[in-house]
Amino acid sequence: MPRTPSLASENEALRAQNAELQGQLACLQQQLDWLKRQVFGRKSERVESDVPPGQGVLPFEGLAPVAEAQEPEQETVVRKRRKHRSDNCLTDSGLRFTSDVPQRQITILPESVRNLPADAYEIIDYRTHYRLAQQPASYEVIAYRHASVKLLDSQEMITTAPCPAVLDRCCAEVSLLAGMIVDKFAYHLPLYRQHQRIQAAGITVSRASLTNWVRCALALLAPIVDAQKANILRSKVLAMDETPIKAGRDKKGSMKQGWFWPMYGEDGEIVFCYAPDRGHASAQKLLGHYAGTLLSDGHSAYEHFCADNPAATHAQCWAHTRRYFERALDDEPEAASAALDIIRDIFAQETEIRERDLTPEKILAWRQKHSEPLVRDFFAFCHEQRQRMDLAPKSPFAKALGYASHPQRIDALKVFLGDSAVATDTNHLERALRPIPMGRKNWLFCWNELGAEHVGIAQSLVSTCRIQGIDPYTYLVDVLQRIDQHPARLVEELTPRLWKQHFADNPLRSDLADAVLITE
């Protein structure tokens, strides 16, 4: 009997310890499931809609089976239907290509006349079919022959002036500089692989030379990116995010952790700014005195920036909020699905707005009529769920509710209801920053922080070209030649957005266009 109170207290302590361990186990299991999904599983966060009642069910259930007639077995002939070719197919095989694609021609004669003389037969017509072919990446050498001329009348000697070059005392022509930048930053081909390809073409050049050429070319483009960033910071709505990058050696065997801060402006421009960390001080330094609406995820650095700058309004992304509930589906399938359904309806209203192509005034009226009740229902649902006594504090669903119900986040998620220019999410920014994580899988890291800044310069222009519908190679070939002669005060005209208006119709070309093939 005397040991009963101690046994009871010990039993209670064990129960509490067991509950704590169960919570830790559930948290670790959730992390393990997330890691397995990232490595092996489906990464899409899209939730398929439920099948409407009656759809997909055959209406023959309950009917008596029909007796099969006794007929002799017959061989079933299956005829393969010819594939329908749409009107935009240029050939009968469905191959589509534009008129500027180089074509080579091969004439094929019937086998019975191949050995006959040409005057023994007459070709009446041709039937043409096309096949897509590929040549290995090729490099060419341009031989500039500077002529020295003597005038016969005056016997005066005239020597041709040296050709202007993008980089002084450099044997790389502008087409090579632009091609290396595009190959590395648009198609994620590291310079060491490009060096192997150049060597396979029979050309001897050091890898250090390639690195130096790209570095010098990107240094020339830096003022253009600065002008592009200045225009982005003038946007009324600016989307911002951050993504990690290894830059510089920390100690032997490890690299420093740096961050790119991509900023997406309202004119369809993006710039990748590098910073050594993702703290509030870096956000303040990059944004300066920005006055407008800052659309971002729930990172506290943006919240602190807007708190310190009254002219800036903080709007947050509904897609990031949705992501927490999507991760909680295994933990609370019914409740998490209910939250996801409401967010899906909010996004459906934005799809309807885009399809109707509404004016800003009508967008605002539409959101206040259709989206605002959904937002109100969502936060009421979150408040109701947080009152549950059976909800584990560290469960994924509890974390999702805590993320969505943060007082300052509630106000930030409602900003789009009062401003037609504010989007509900930052998906457009996340799509544009994909080249950074794609590049990390290929070139892995930057040797130093200066290299990371050069990566940001290149990706800012290449990604903006893609957003603006410009061929990055054509743009870089033109701008690398034009930047030396363009007035510094008009450098903004060389950003992809304005370059498309001023120079896209007649861009400067590489000397390859005028070079004559040497056949000797």
Side-chain angles (χ1 to χ4, degrees):
M1 293 295 296
R3 297 182 59 187
T4 302
S6 110
L7 288 174
S9 61
E10 183 179 353
N11 193 22
E12 187 66 27
L14 289 174
R15 283 200 184 98
Q17 184 181 11
N18 182 55
E20 183 180 358
L21 291 175
Q22 289 292 336
Q24 293 178 2
L25 178 61
C27 183
L28 292 174
Q29 184 63 46
Q30 190 267 339
Q31 293 177 11
L32 179 61
D33 293 341
W34 179 85
L35 180 61
K36 287 181 177 179
R37 174 177 170 180
Q38 295 301 309
V39 177
F40 305 110
R42 173 177 173 266
K43 298 182 179 63
S44 174
E45 299 169 2
R46 182 176 181 178
V47 179
E48 300 294 339
S49 303
D50 295 332
V51 179
Q55 180 174 336
V57 180
L58 295 176
F60 306 117
E61 295 182 359
L63 298 180
V66 180
E68 296 183 358
Q70 298 294 329
E71 294 183 357
E73 294 184 1
Q74 297 182 357
E75 183 181 357
T76 303
V77 179
V78 180
R79 290 190 176 92
K80 186 177 181 180
R81 296 183 62 184
R82 186 175 180 180
K83 186 177 180 180
H84 175 70
R85 301 294 179 188
S86 59
D87 294 337
N88 62 347
C89 291
L90 297 183
T91 71
D92 56 354
S93 59
L95 184 63
R96 297 182 291 272
F97 54 88
T98 58
S99 58
D100 58 345
V101 175
Q103 298 183 41
R104 296 177 183 267
Q105 190 177 88
I106 298 177
T107 301
I108 303 176
L109 296 174
E111 188 174 355
S112 58
V113 302
R114 289 178 185 175
N115 297 325
L116 298 179
D119 55 357
Y121 60 87
E122 179 185 0
I123 298 177
I124 301 174
D125 196 9
Y126 289 100
R127 180 174 59 87
T128 306
H129 74 276
Y130 298 86
R131 289 179 182 171
L132 185 60
Q134 179 184 357
Q135 286 188 357
S138 60
Y139 297 89
E140 298 181 7
V141 175
I142 302 178
Y144 292 88
R145 299 197 301 173
H146 300 271
S148 296
V149 179
K150 181 170 104 171
L151 299 179
L152 298 179
D153 293 339
S154 62
Q155 299 297 311
E156 180 184 358
M157 298 291 295
I158 302 177
T159 305
T160 309
C163 299
V166 175
L167 302 178
D168 293 336
R169 292 177 293 182
C170 176
C171 61
E173 205 260 344
V174 65
S175 60
L176 179 65
L177 298 175
M180 287 193 298
I181 294 174
V182 171
D183 281 346
K184 178 172 181 178
F185 299 104
Y187 303 111
H188 316 297
L189 188 66
L191 288 181
Y192 81 90
R193 295 183 191 167
Q194 297 187 43
H195 180 253
Q196 292 172 351
R197 193 169 63 179
I198 292 174
Q199 284 186 320
I203 302 170
T204 301
V205 64
S206 67
R207 277 179 56 182
S209 295
L210 299 187
T211 304
N212 190 48
W213 294 345
V214 172
R215 177 183 61 82
C216 293
L218 293 177
L220 291 176
L221 299 173
I224 301 177
V225 176
D226 292 339
Q228 186 165 285
K229 178 185 175 184
N231 183 65
I232 290 175
L233 290 175
R234 291 192 291 266
S235 301
K236 294 181 180 178
V237 179
L238 186 154
M240 196 168 182
D241 205 342
E242 66 283 338
T243 185
I245 181 68
K246 298 292 186 181
R249 294 187 62 180
D250 186 15
K251 56 184 178 180
K252 186 176 181 180
S254 65
M255 305 291 292
K256 292 181 181 178
Q257 179 69 71
W259 294 86
F260 279 123
W261 296 68
M263 295 187 290
Y264 196 114
E266 60 188 2
D267 291 330
E269 296 174 307
I270 187 171
V271 66
F272 292 85
C273 301
Y274 173 78
D277 55 49
R278 63 192 296 253
H280 166 49
S282 295
Q284 180 68 57
K285 180 179 178 181
L286 295 174
L287 290 169
H289 300 287
Y290 174 71
T293 301
L294 180 63
L295 178 61
S296 71
D297 57 12
H299 183 33
S300 59
Y302 307 114
E303 180 182 322
H304 290 311
F305 171 79
C306 293
D308 296 339
N309 295 270
T313 303
H314 192 201
Q316 290 203 25
C317 169
W318 276 91
H320 283 80
T321 305
R322 178 192 182 280
R323 197 165 294 163
Y324 280 84
F325 288 98
E326 193 271 339
R327 294 172 184 168
L329 277 173
D330 294 336
D331 178 54
E332 291 277 351
E334 185 175 350
S337 296
L340 290 173
D341 289 341
I342 300 176
I343 298 177
R344 182 181 59 191
D345 292 340
I346 295 174
F347 286 160
Q349 299 304 321
E350 296 302 305
T351 303
E352 187 74 17
I353 288 173
R354 287 191 296 269
E355 292 176 351
R356 291 174 178 265
D357 195 19
L358 300 179
T359 61
E361 294 78 11
K362 292 184 178 180
I363 290 175
L364 196 59
W366 183 280
R367 285 177 174 175
Q368 292 174 349
K369 180 178 179 181
H370 299 90
S371 300
E372 189 170 0
L374 294 172
V375 173
R376 193 163 49 243
D377 292 344
F378 174 79
F379 289 116
F381 170 82
C382 292
H383 178 74
E384 179 184 353
Q385 291 296 313
R386 296 190 74 184
Q387 311 308 312
R388 289 170 44 186
M389 300 300 295
D390 62 331
L391 192 62
K394 293 185 179 181
S395 67
F397 186 66
K399 292 180 180 178
L401 292 174
Y403 180 89
S405 301
H406 191 279
Q408 293 178 333
R409 186 163 294 118
I410 293 176
D411 295 335
L413 288 171
K414 291 181 179 179
V415 170
F416 82 102
L417 297 173
D419 190 344
S420 60
V422 178
T424 54
D425 54 64
T426 59
N427 288 342
H428 59 297
L429 172 59
E430 293 194 356
R431 286 191 296 269
L433 66 81
R434 281 178 183 172
I436 297 297
M438 287 294 295
R440 285 199 306 260
K441 293 182 179 181
N442 292 272
W443 37 261
L444 302 179
F445 57 85
C446 300
W447 276 112
N448 49 49
E449 295 186 351
L450 179 61
E453 293 177 2
H454 288 158
V455 170
I457 292 172
Q459 287 293 1
S460 298
L461 296 178
V462 171
S463 298
T464 303
C465 282
R466 286 181 164 176
I467 296 171
Q468 296 288 337
I470 300 170
D471 177 29
Y473 177 80
T474 303
Y475 168 79
L476 290 173
V477 168
D478 177 274
V479 168
L480 284 172
Q481 298 176 89
R482 194 182 299 275
I483 192 170
D484 188 42
Q485 52 187 326
H486 200 76
R489 58 185 176 82
L490 301 178
V491 67
E492 190 176 359
E493 292 182 353
L494 299 183
T495 60
R497 174 179 60 92
L498 295 180
W499 180 89
K500 184 168 65 171
Q501 303 174 13
H502 294 87
F503 309 111
D505 293 338
N506 188 26
L508 299 177
R509 302 290 184 181
S510 163
D511 289 343
L512 279 174
D514 301 324
V516 179
L517 182 64
I518 301 175
T519 57
E520 323 156 346

